[in-house]
Amino acid sequence: MNKLIRAMLKNRGYDEDFLSRINTCDHALPSGIPELCARLDFYRKTGGRIVVLADFDTDGLMSGVIGFAGLAEMGFSVALYLPSTDGYGFDASDIEKIKADYSDVKVILTGDVGIAAHEGVQAARDSGIEVLVTDHHKAAVVSNSHVFVDPMCDENPNVFGSVCGAHVMYLVLRYYAEHFHEQAARLIPQIDRLRVFAGIATVADSMPVYHENRPMIVDAVSICRLLYADGQQDVVNSIPGCDIYRRAMLGVFVMLQAFAEHGKIRDSASIDETFFGFYVSPALNSVKRMNGDIRDVYTVFFGGYDAARVAMEKILSLTSDRKALVSKSLDQILDNPEDQAWAPYIYVTDAPGGIRGLLAQRILSLTGEPVLV
């Protein structure tokens, strides 16, 4: 091992086997996956409508894309619910909206949400709707859903740990394709291609880049490079699958094409983990931070080429507005120190809640002190 790397590891309290350990991918699957897949299998074979309900940050949105595209590709009767942006979770009002929009709903499958949404789950159960939760958040009281899959609430210490919600959704659908579907050989590669969305979400949700997260991100970068093909649409046009699935893949191409037109991509080789962190994640998260319309994100991935182009430009415009607002709000804070009685640890601002975390990051980079905005 290089002496510099050995010294770096020692200074951080790691031994020389650290790099080997963080590259291992031998953890057990979260419990609940076989039971949840068995319920999915029942509804695929009986024709029951499944509604995917996901959170609205980047991780949640990518969970929704994986769930909707993956289930559609595997032959489910599936719909995608668009939640409000009032806050994390869902409640009885969301269940009423789902019932109004999809009168034939039998099952709600959540993505990146639900483990602590007790009111919403109970409202669904009271309406005769089965709830299947996929999530990755901790909860003092676990979900009252019919089945839940959440590695952070798993009693097995050797289970997948710090993975994002989209990763959990992928694990469920991958297990279903392999163990329940009669067309496993055809479907496993299709579901594996959806890793592109879980990899984007892994970076966006600041998951630690070790164990199973490392190959997830690497695969996402590779899939993006393949689909983008230096701006040529031939590869993405050749992707097989149902219309919903193929639109999701086309949406990746459109997203990357838009970034290229805005000078963020030179060629396929410039698509990497840093690109995810500095461009893709902030852009998708701008919809939440700036109180945008999450329908724009889903339009990118399911609306078809022309609609996706328009929606992506709206998202990039929100990103520019977010950057300008952060800079303006930061200037107001720094130019008026008399208004900051608790500086350098606490700062007060009238900036929207969605950008206060970004302001804290900017101030932290200036002061080096822990910051609350």
Side-chain angles (χ1 to χ4, degrees), residues 329-341 347-348:
S329 299
L330 181 62
D331 289 343
Q332 290 175 342
I333 289 173
L334 299 180
D335 292 345
N336 297 281
E338 68 277 3
D339 295 336
Q340 305 300 334
Y347 293 83
V348 178

Side-chain angles (χ1 to χ4, degrees), residues 339-352:
D339 295 336
Q340 305 300 334
W342 299 289
Y345 303 110
I346 301 175
Y347 293 83
V348 178
T349 178
D350 60 359

